[in-house]
Amino acid sequence: MTDYPQKVSDSFNERLRLIRLRRKKENLRFWDEFRIIPRWLIGLVIFLFLVGQAIALLVNIDAASHGGVMFPPDFQNDPALAFLASAGIVTGVSLVLASIVFLIAYVNRDAKRRGMNSALWTILVIIFLPTWGLIGLIIYLLMREPLPYNCPQCGATVGARFNFCPNCKCNLHPSCPQCRREVAETDKYCPYCASDLAAAKTVSEKELPSLPR
Ligand SMILES: [Zn+2]
Ligand SMILES: [Zn+2]
Protein backbone atom coordinates (compact mmCIF):
# COMPACT_ATOMS: atom_id res chain seq x y z
CA MET A 1 0.00 0.00 0.00
CA THR A 2 1.11 3.55 -0.57
CA ASP A 3 0.48 4.30 3.10
CA TYR A 4 3.70 2.63 4.09
CA PRO A 5 7.16 3.37 2.67
CA GLN A 6 9.34 0.42 1.67
CA LYS A 7 11.37 -1.14 4.43
CA VAL A 8 14.73 -0.20 2.88
CA SER A 9 14.06 3.52 3.21
CA ASP A 10 12.29 3.10 6.56
CA SER A 11 15.21 3.80 8.88
CA PHE A 12 16.45 6.63 6.69
CA ASN A 13 13.00 8.22 6.69
CA GLU A 14 12.79 7.75 10.43
CA ARG A 15 16.16 9.52 10.79
CA LEU A 16 14.98 12.42 8.62
CA ARG A 17 11.75 12.59 10.62
CA LEU A 18 13.70 12.76 13.89
CA ILE A 19 15.95 15.52 12.52
CA ARG A 20 12.85 17.44 11.41
CA LEU A 21 11.20 16.95 14.78
CA ARG A 22 14.35 18.17 16.52
CA ARG A 23 14.51 21.32 14.39
CA LYS A 24 10.90 22.15 15.22
CA LYS A 25 10.94 21.39 18.92
CA GLU A 26 14.45 22.21 20.04
CA ASN A 27 15.36 25.83 20.26
CA LEU A 28 18.79 25.44 21.79
CA ARG A 29 20.66 28.48 22.99
CA PHE A 30 24.42 28.46 23.46
CA TRP A 31 24.53 29.47 27.13
CA ASP A 32 21.68 27.14 28.12
CA GLU A 33 23.57 24.32 26.43
CA PHE A 34 26.82 25.39 28.05
CA ARG A 35 25.18 24.92 31.45
CA ILE A 36 24.96 21.14 31.04
CA ILE A 37 28.76 21.02 31.25
CA PRO A 38 29.52 20.04 34.86
CA ARG A 39 30.63 22.91 37.11
CA TRP A 40 33.60 21.00 38.53
CA LEU A 41 35.03 20.58 35.03
CA ILE A 42 34.76 24.31 34.31
CA GLY A 43 36.42 24.97 37.70
CA LEU A 44 39.18 22.47 36.92
CA VAL A 45 39.86 24.03 33.49
CA ILE A 46 40.08 27.53 35.02
CA PHE A 47 42.39 26.17 37.75
CA LEU A 48 44.70 24.52 35.17
CA PHE A 49 44.72 27.76 33.15
CA LEU A 50 45.84 29.72 36.22
CA VAL A 51 48.49 27.07 37.01
CA GLY A 52 49.76 27.35 33.41
CA GLN A 53 49.97 31.12 33.68
CA ALA A 54 51.75 30.90 37.03
CA ILE A 55 54.32 28.43 35.68
CA ALA A 56 55.03 30.63 32.63
CA LEU A 57 55.36 33.66 34.88
CA LEU A 58 57.66 31.94 37.39
CA VAL A 59 59.89 30.53 34.63
CA ASN A 60 60.29 33.99 33.12
CA ILE A 61 60.87 35.68 36.50
CA ASP A 62 63.56 33.09 37.25
CA ALA A 63 65.17 33.60 33.83
CA ALA A 64 65.07 37.39 34.20
CA SER A 65 66.65 37.38 37.67
CA HIS A 66 69.40 34.88 36.76
CA GLY A 67 70.10 36.26 33.32
CA GLY A 68 68.77 33.11 31.59
CA VAL A 69 66.85 32.82 28.34
CA MET A 70 63.32 34.19 28.64
CA PHE A 71 60.33 32.71 26.86
CA PRO A 72 59.66 33.42 24.03
CA PRO A 73 63.34 33.99 23.03
CA ASP A 74 62.37 36.60 20.39
CA PHE A 75 61.75 39.17 23.15
CA GLN A 76 65.03 38.53 24.99
CA ASN A 77 65.87 42.23 25.17
CA ASP A 78 62.44 43.38 26.35
CA PRO A 79 61.35 41.56 29.54
CA ALA A 80 57.94 43.30 29.65
CA LEU A 81 57.09 42.13 26.15
CA ALA A 82 58.35 38.64 26.95
CA PHE A 83 55.99 38.41 29.97
CA LEU A 84 53.10 39.63 27.84
CA ALA A 85 53.87 37.25 24.97
CA SER A 86 54.22 34.19 27.22
CA ALA A 87 50.89 35.04 28.93
CA GLY A 88 49.27 35.39 25.50
CA ILE A 89 50.63 32.06 24.28
CA VAL A 90 49.43 30.28 27.42
CA THR A 91 45.98 31.90 27.02
CA GLY A 92 45.72 30.90 23.36
CA VAL A 93 46.73 27.28 23.95
CA SER A 94 44.38 27.10 26.96
CA LEU A 95 41.43 28.39 24.91
CA VAL A 96 41.90 25.68 22.29
CA LEU A 97 42.33 22.91 24.89
CA ALA A 98 39.39 24.18 26.98
CA SER A 99 37.10 24.25 23.92
CA ILE A 100 37.97 20.62 23.14
CA VAL A 101 37.45 19.52 26.75
CA PHE A 102 34.09 21.35 26.94
CA LEU A 103 32.93 19.89 23.61
CA ILE A 104 33.68 16.37 24.78
CA ALA A 105 31.94 17.02 28.10
CA TYR A 106 28.95 18.49 26.23
CA VAL A 107 28.59 15.41 24.00
CA ASN A 108 28.84 13.17 27.07
CA ARG A 109 26.13 15.04 29.02
CA ASP A 110 23.91 15.70 26.02
CA ALA A 111 23.93 12.05 24.93
CA LYS A 112 22.99 11.03 28.46
CA ARG A 113 19.98 13.35 28.68
CA ARG A 114 18.81 12.13 25.26
CA GLY A 115 18.92 8.50 26.40
CA MET A 116 21.79 7.61 24.06
CA ASN A 117 24.93 5.59 24.80
CA SER A 118 26.97 8.47 26.22
CA ALA A 119 30.22 6.49 26.73
CA LEU A 120 30.18 5.25 23.13
CA TRP A 121 29.54 8.70 21.66
CA THR A 122 32.18 10.32 23.86
CA ILE A 123 34.76 7.76 22.70
CA LEU A 124 33.72 8.25 19.07
CA VAL A 125 34.21 12.02 19.27
CA ILE A 126 37.58 11.58 21.00
CA ILE A 127 39.03 8.99 18.57
CA PHE A 128 38.23 11.19 15.55
CA LEU A 129 39.84 14.29 17.11
CA PRO A 130 43.56 13.76 16.29
CA THR A 131 43.07 12.87 12.61
CA TRP A 132 39.63 14.05 11.52
CA GLY A 133 39.12 16.95 13.90
CA LEU A 134 35.50 17.64 14.71
CA ILE A 135 33.99 15.07 12.32
CA GLY A 136 32.91 12.95 15.33
CA LEU A 137 31.06 15.93 16.76
CA ILE A 138 29.34 16.59 13.42
CA ILE A 139 28.25 12.94 13.17
CA TYR A 140 26.97 13.19 16.72
CA LEU A 141 25.01 16.38 16.06
CA LEU A 142 23.32 14.73 13.04
CA MET A 143 22.62 11.41 14.74
CA ARG A 144 21.52 12.51 18.18
CA GLU A 145 18.05 11.58 19.32
CA PRO A 146 15.59 14.40 19.94
CA LEU A 147 15.15 15.43 23.55
CA PRO A 148 12.09 14.04 25.31
CA TYR A 149 9.33 16.63 25.01
CA ASN A 150 5.98 17.44 26.54
CA CYS A 151 2.82 15.89 25.15
CA PRO A 152 0.92 18.65 23.27
CA GLN A 153 -2.31 17.54 24.91
CA CYS A 154 -1.57 16.70 28.57
CA GLY A 155 1.98 17.98 29.07
CA ALA A 156 3.45 14.66 30.22
CA THR A 157 7.05 13.98 29.14
CA VAL A 158 7.13 11.67 26.11
CA GLY A 159 10.03 10.10 24.20
CA ALA A 160 10.70 11.23 20.63
CA ARG A 161 10.01 7.74 19.28
CA PHE A 162 6.66 7.30 21.03
CA ASN A 163 3.66 7.05 18.73
CA PHE A 164 1.08 7.81 21.40
CA CYS A 165 1.23 9.60 24.71
CA PRO A 166 1.24 6.89 27.43
CA ASN A 167 -0.67 9.25 29.70
CA CYS A 168 -3.54 10.54 27.54
CA LYS A 169 -3.38 8.48 24.29
CA CYS A 170 -2.76 11.63 22.25
CA ASN A 171 -1.56 10.80 18.72
CA LEU A 172 2.02 12.11 18.69
CA HIS A 173 2.60 11.32 14.99
CA PRO A 174 -0.50 12.62 13.27
CA SER A 175 -0.88 11.85 9.57
CA CYS A 176 -2.41 13.92 6.81
CA PRO A 177 -6.08 12.92 6.32
CA GLN A 178 -5.78 13.33 2.56
CA CYS A 179 -2.46 11.72 1.52
CA ARG A 180 -1.93 9.67 4.75
CA ARG A 181 1.69 10.76 5.09
CA GLU A 182 3.06 11.74 8.46
CA VAL A 183 2.99 15.38 9.49
CA ALA A 184 4.17 17.22 12.62
CA GLU A 185 1.48 18.41 14.98
CA THR A 186 2.77 21.97 14.54
CA ASP A 187 2.22 21.85 10.75
CA LYS A 188 -0.69 23.97 9.56
CA TYR A 189 -0.65 22.51 6.05
CA CYS A 190 0.49 19.11 4.86
CA PRO A 191 4.04 19.49 3.47
CA TYR A 192 3.26 16.85 0.80
CA CYS A 193 -0.19 17.72 -0.54
CA ALA A 194 -0.93 21.15 1.04
CA SER A 195 -4.19 19.99 2.59
CA ASP A 196 -5.40 22.21 5.44
CA LEU A 197 -4.50 20.28 8.60
CA ALA A 198 -5.95 22.72 11.13
CA ALA A 199 -9.43 22.41 9.58
CA ALA A 200 -9.15 18.62 9.31
CA LYS A 201 -8.03 18.37 12.93
CA THR A 202 -11.03 20.24 14.32
CA VAL A 203 -13.37 18.06 12.25
CA SER A 204 -11.76 14.77 13.27
CA GLU A 205 -11.66 15.78 16.93
CA LYS A 206 -15.39 16.60 16.87
CA GLU A 207 -16.50 13.58 14.90
CA LEU A 208 -14.09 10.86 15.93
CA PRO A 209 -12.72 11.70 19.37
CA SER A 210 -11.19 8.27 20.01
CA LEU A 211 -9.84 7.42 16.56
CA PRO A 212 -6.18 6.47 17.11
CA ARG A 213 -4.92 7.50 13.63
ZN1 LIG B 1 -0.58 13.29 26.76
ZN1 LIG C 1 -1.13 15.36 2.74
Side-chain angles (χ1 to χ4, degrees), residues 107-113 115-123:
V107 168
N108 184 276
R109 285 297 164 108
D110 190 57
K112 207 171 280 173
R113 72 175 171 167
M116 300 163 70
N117 190 333
S118 60
L120 193 78
W121 279 104
T122 312
I123 291 168

Side-chain angles (χ1 to χ4, degrees), residues 175-183 189-197:
S175 58
C176 167
Q178 193 164 314
C179 69
R180 312 303 302 169
R181 290 164 96 167
E182 197 177 298
V183 293
Y189 299 94
C190 172
Y192 307 104
C193 72
S195 113
D196 189 340
L197 298 172

